[in-house]
């Protein structure tokens, strides 16, 4: 049995901030952001939370799949921006949905979180332990971003995407690979809240996201094509045989570079980074759900999904739609 996506959904916060708005906060310009990243605007949470966005996307995915929340066996939320350190966002979403029969936990793998989640879902489904899985990528990165740092604040957006997977005898995920390299943890990290324990203060100063942008860029353009080539070999497919490559929406130039390395036309690499910016673990499921909604995915299509992020983490999979 393979894990097959049978429903998708997405949800973005109502508030939209364009590049001109960011130019009022930091020294930047619409032109610089568009040219270097492809981003035009992003949605930022004002009223919404990671939990509410996740639940919104999940309800749509369940309706799309024609499944009741009670039928879910496993509910995972890939996120690095939970509303509460504990309990997990997944438990809170479980309560919102009434997914009373599901075991619920979060997956922390930054922008590769959705790929890690697919990996876990596939393993549980293949083993026969669970049948129906809800996987959500949800983030409110706006709360981790330093809004005085132009090197990071222009990149990120908030949102959520969800996919319902079930056991299928045909199609679904046919090959996958995930990887981690913790020795490079410090090229993209967030220390979080300073520790005020009287026995041990940790001296943390910044609780905001910090990034060496060029290091991450170089890692992405090297690792993503290699990882995709690996899963294509495993699936016995050529790059030409793939109908659509859905990549983590981090930077338009990264996506273009991957297309070039794989010798594939850019038209096979759909993008929504212009509208959504980088929503970390939510970027792939939002893109997938929007593609489905727009009727751009057809039964039997060969799709490649790939992402990368802090950790460092990365992953790719091949699925037959
Ligand atoms: O999900 C994974 C998350 N992270 C990523 O994927 C990040 C990958 N990296 C990137 O996307 C790019 O490295 C950035 C978009 C972050 C930066 O683009 P870059 O082409 O690598 O620019 P840079 O860091 O080399 O900076 C070039 C110049 C610098 O000025 P000087 O030193 O040449 O005078 C920066 O200070 O651009 C300056 N700069 C900006 N200027 C206007 C950096 N950020 C901005 C900005 N507006 N927002």
């Amino acid at each position: 049995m393979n894990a097959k996506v049978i429903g998708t959904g997405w949800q973005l916060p109502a508030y939209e901030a364009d590049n001109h708005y960011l130019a009022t906060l930091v020294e930047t310009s619409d032109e610089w952001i568009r040219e270097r990243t492809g981003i035009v605007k992003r949605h930022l949470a004002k009223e919404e939370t990671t939990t509410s966005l996740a639940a919104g996307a999940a309800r749509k995915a369940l309706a799309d799949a024609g499944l009741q929340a009670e039928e879910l066996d496993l509910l995972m939320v890939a996120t690095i921006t939970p509303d509460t350190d504990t309990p997990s966002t997944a438990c809170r979403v479980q309560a919102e949905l009434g997914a009373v029969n599901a075991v619920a936990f979060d997956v922390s793998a930054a922008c590769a979180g959705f790929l890690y989640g697919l990996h876990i879902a596939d393993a549980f489904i293949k083993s026969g332990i669970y049948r129906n899985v809800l996987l959500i990528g949800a983030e409110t990165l706006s709360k981790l971003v330093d809004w005085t740092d132009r090197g990071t604040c222009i990149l990120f957006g908030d949102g959520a995407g969800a996919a319902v997977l079930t056991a299928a005898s045909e199609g679904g995920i046919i090959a996958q690979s995930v990887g981690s390299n913790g020795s490079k943890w410090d090229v993209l990290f967030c220390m979080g809240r300073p520790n005020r324990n009287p026995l041990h203060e940790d001296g943390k100063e910044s609780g905001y996201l910090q990034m060496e942008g060029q290091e991450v860029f170089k890692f992405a353009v090297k690792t993503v094509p290699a990882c995709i080539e690996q899963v294509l070999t495993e699936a016995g497919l050529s790059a030409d045989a793939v109908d659509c490559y859905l990549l983590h929406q981090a930077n338009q130039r990264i996506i273009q570079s991957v297309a070039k390395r794989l010798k594939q036309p850019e038209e096979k690499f759909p993008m929504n980074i212009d509208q959504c910016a980088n929503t970390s673990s939510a970027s792939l499921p939002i893109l997938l759900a929007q593609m489905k909604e727009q009727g751009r995915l057809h039964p039997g299509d060969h799709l490649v999904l790939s992402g990368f992020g802090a950790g460092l983490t990365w992953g790719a999979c091949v699925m037959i739609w």
Side-chain angles (χ1 to χ4, degrees), residues 29-306:
S29 65
D30 177 49
E31 192 189 4
W32 193 97
I33 300 171
R34 279 180 197 245
E35 269 178 20
R36 299 287 179 126
T37 69
I39 297 166
V40 175
K41 66 176 186 185
R42 71 284 293 141
H43 291 250
L44 301 176
K46 286 176 103 175
E47 306 297 327
E48 301 88 349
T49 62
T50 298
T51 306
S52 73
L53 291 167
R59 281 192 191 97
K60 291 173 194 165
L62 283 168
D64 190 36
L67 216 66
Q68 300 300 316
E70 299 81 13
E71 294 176 85
L72 292 171
D73 306 308
L74 172 62
L75 191 169
M76 285 183 285
V77 179
T79 187
I80 52 166
T81 50
D83 299 318
T84 38
D85 285 352
T86 193
S88 66
T89 305
C91 282
R92 298 187 57 182
V93 173
Q94 180 204 25
E96 293 258 337
L97 300 178
V100 289
N101 297 309
V103 64
F105 57 85
D106 286 358
V107 177
S108 175
C111 305
F114 192 73
L115 265 308
Y116 274 50
L118 287 177
H119 192 55
I120 299 166
D122 190 49
F124 274 123
I125 287 173
K126 272 205 168 67
S127 67
I129 295 174
Y130 300 128
R131 183 173 178 82
N132 296 324
V133 179
L134 173 62
L135 172 60
I136 307 166
E139 306 284 5
T140 46
L141 282 154
S142 53
K143 67 191 179 200
L144 281 199
V145 163
D146 177 354
W147 287 99
T148 65
D149 174 17
R150 67 179 183 173
T152 52
C153 75
I154 53 116
L155 280 180
F156 297 100
D158 300 335
V164 176
L165 297 111
T166 198
S169 50
E170 279 182 22
I173 296 172
I174 57 166
Q176 58 178 309
S177 169
V178 289
S180 323
N181 177 7
S183 72
K184 293 274 184 192
W185 70 271
D186 55 354
V187 299
L188 179 50
F189 67 95
C190 177
M191 279 297 181
R193 181 171 52 84
N195 179 1
R196 300 282 184 240
N197 176 351
L199 300 176
H200 172 73
E201 290 211 12
D202 56 19
K204 279 181 207 162
E205 285 171 13
S206 167
Y208 297 110
L209 201 69
Q210 297 179 56
M211 179 177 75
E212 290 179 38
Q214 288 196 3
E215 286 303 311
V216 180
F217 196 102
K218 282 187 263 175
F219 150 70
V221 297
K222 201 171 134 210
T223 309
V224 172
C227 191
I228 290 176
E229 275 161 1
Q230 192 185 334
V231 291
L232 287 178
T233 303
E234 196 188 316
L237 287 174
S238 69
D240 291 347
V242 174
D243 298 289
C244 186
Y245 291 87
L246 292 102
L247 301 194
H248 169 46
Q249 304 287 295
N251 186 318
Q252 181 182 294
R253 289 187 294 137
I254 294 176
I255 297 169
Q256 288 166 336
S257 164
V258 174
K260 209 167 155 190
R261 283 188 191 220
L262 294 171
K263 299 190 178 62
Q264 292 298 301
E266 271 180 42
E267 299 74 63
K268 281 191 178 182
F269 293 73
M271 289 189 226
N272 63 10
I273 187 167
D274 56 330
Q275 303 297 305
C276 303
N278 179 348
T279 55
S280 191
S281 66
S283 96
L284 275 174
I286 292 174
L287 185 64
L288 186 70
Q290 290 181 338
M291 293 283 292
K292 183 170 190 285
E293 196 176 78
Q294 293 161 13
R296 293 166 70 188
L297 304 175
H298 312 99
D301 276 359
H302 287 86
L303 311 183
V304 165
L305 276 68
S306 184

